[in-house]
Amino acid sequence: MEKKEEGMNEEQVWKELDEETLFIVSQTFKALSDPTRIRILHLLFDKEYSVNQIADQLELRQSTVSHQLRFLKNLRLVKFRRDGTTIYYSQDDEHVMTMLNQTIKHALHH
Amino acid sequence: MEKKEEGMNEEQVWKELDEETLFIVSQTFKALSDPTRIRILHLLFDKEYSVNQIADQLELRQSTVSHQLRFLKNLRLVKFRRDGTTIYYSQDDEHVMTMLNQTIKHALHH
DNA sequence: CTAATATATGAATATATAATCATATATATA
DNA sequence: TATATATATGATTATATATTCATATATTAG
């Protein structure tokens, strides 16, 4: 029951995940672990929405939506375009959206 | 910019996720959002490990591992079998393990 | 039964996170 | 320039979470 540190000279060689990979992976899943962010991404599945449209549809405060969009934007899960004073957000990570969709389908079958 | 509450009689009918689905989905991703749980699940990808083996391999306290295994067990992401005083844990959700693996691969390509 | 070992659990604590309010910034228009 | 509208941001607060220590429980061997 000894630890494997530098040696790695035992029956199994286990590649531990490096810290950066671990960080990216955990952040990605963290984005999908909050009900509010899930609802926002789910809404953005089909088309773009402005911040206020999202707030209206999901009955959330404007600042709540804005904060969460910043989070999603930092992870590049959403992108935006400006039209006058209005900013439209849309999805920007196919892999993540696919995972979300799959998991929702999975969950819907009880 | 009006809300859609009971009516849903406008251009787009948006099926909001029900609370239970939202809960299941968020919990599933929450399981994968913590570095320690990711490392444990990643370790369990190939084969079963006892609690102490996990703690040794990942240099974690026994109680930390035990607490996290309880979390994963409650979500049925891992299962266990007893052999004497030793309890061996192994993966128990193919869908989740596949998502984890995909996302790790994704992250490894920076 | 006693000792040894493996695992689980409860309480405490430090940290992270989400929502909110108030306000700042940015753009467009009169 | 002044006003209106859309969005972003900083500070605060309440809550959730992960880890740790100490200890409890469970199994086996002697």
Side-chain angles (χ1 to χ4, degrees), chain A residues 85-99:
Chain A
T85 56
T86 303
I87 297 183
Y88 291 96
Y89 281 84
S90 56
Q91 56 158 109
D92 198 29
D93 189 317
E94 217 178 304
H95 173 239
V96 165
M97 291 302 275
T98 300
M99 281 200 306

Side-chain angles (χ1 to χ4, degrees), chain B residues 1-2 5 10-11 13 42 52 55 62 69 81 88 108:
Chain B
M1 302 269 170
E2 65 281 66
E5 278 154 357
E10 286 157 69
E11 79 284 349
V13 177
H42 183 236
N52 274 338
Q62 179 269 324
L69 285 171
R81 73 177 179 87
Y88 291 96
L108 284 172

